[in-house]
Amino acid sequence: MTQFNEAELTDAVVASFESTPDARAKFLLQELVRSLHDYVHRTNLTFDEWATAIDFLTRTGQTCTASRQEFILLSDVLGVSMLVDAINHRDRAGATETTVLGPFYVGEHKVTPHGTDISADLKGEKMFVQARVTDLAGAPLAGAAVDVWHADDEGFYDSQRSDYAADRPSSRARFITDADGRFFFRTILPCSYPIPTDGPVGQMIVSTKRHPMRPAHVHFLVDAEGHEPLITHVFIGGDAYLDSDVVFGVKNELIAEVEQRTDPVMPDGKLAASPWHLMSYEFRMKPGAGVAPKPMLSKAPDQAAE
């Protein structure tokens, strides 16, 4: 007869899942039990510590709403989101590196003409983005859909604003690459910003003396026929938080040296009213199939930036 003591308990719990019909679910549950029990053994976890953990997870769940996902934030700050991304994109074969999607991809990006100022109503330093989408050999990929989105110069995304409406996006759009695989647009220079610190995850970050900051970046989701969808950021070179991103999303290849320019004319031949910045980047797509992701959340007017 099994004794549910320290020596035999783990094996008994693992065995309790032996009849799970789905083989993958069985494997995941049994490995979760082994890992969790091992953690308890190695740390000699106390009743008070376990009660604190239960309270933290309870408050994390209670913070979640239709427009805020605190568990995604927890996954991000513990590095789990980036680890899952890395494991699922191990062999890039020269393709552009991936990173986390983040919670502010709303899936309502509308096709926009090249050269559009997608942040026309926002204050901030002007930036011109010129980019190209190619295959691994450098051949242009025409007709690729490229969704872009980023925070404003206060660190908020449009979907966080109380007046957000799907038909009036700001700092987000979809572009279709031309015959040479190119697309370009105007916007403002994004800034570094903090993740939410008003919930249990942010409070944990502050209490452990970690900073809550993300380095400035622009999100890109590239979807080209015959290629795996690419989810990535392009980070602003020189940002103070590149080496300590709170969600561990930075990769060297994804850092762009954004140039400050005083040219009176931008690359598309239109006049510049003031000094501006130039971001240039080339996205290399990996052959394959896949479906571009759906939004993780609905509109999020009450959530601080992540």
Side-chain angles (χ1 to χ4, degrees), residues 70-126:
E70 194 80 354
F71 275 109
I72 292 176
L73 184 60
L74 179 60
S75 172
D76 289 349
V77 303
L78 294 179
V80 177
S81 299
M82 277 301 295
L83 184 57
V84 172
D85 182 79
I87 288 170
N88 283 272
H89 296 100
R90 281 178 172 143
D91 181 15
R92 297 306 295 152
T96 298
E97 291 287 350
T98 60
T99 190
V100 292
L101 177 66
F104 295 109
Y105 177 65
V106 299
E108 295 169 340
H109 298 192
K110 299 178 187 283
V111 175
T112 305
H114 294 192
T116 298
D117 187 345
I118 66 172
S119 302
D121 298 328
L122 299 180
K123 62 180 181 179
E125 300 178 32
K126 294 297 184 181

Side-chain angles (χ1 to χ4, degrees), residues 32 88 93 107 150 182 230:
L32 174 63
N88 283 272
H150 67 80
R182 299 185 186 278
L230 171 66

Side-chain angles (χ1 to χ4, degrees), residues 9-10 57 59 84 103 120 137 141 150 161 186 194 202 204 209 220 248 255 270 276 284 296-297 300:
L9 180 60
T10 300
L57 293 173
R59 288 186 292 111
V84 172
L141 294 177
H150 67 80
R161 301 293 189 182
R186 289 172 171 76
M204 177 190 72
K209 305 301 182 184
F220 293 88
F248 309 100
I255 300 172
K270 295 182 180 178
W276 50 284
R284 300 179 306 278
M296 293 184 184
L297 299 171

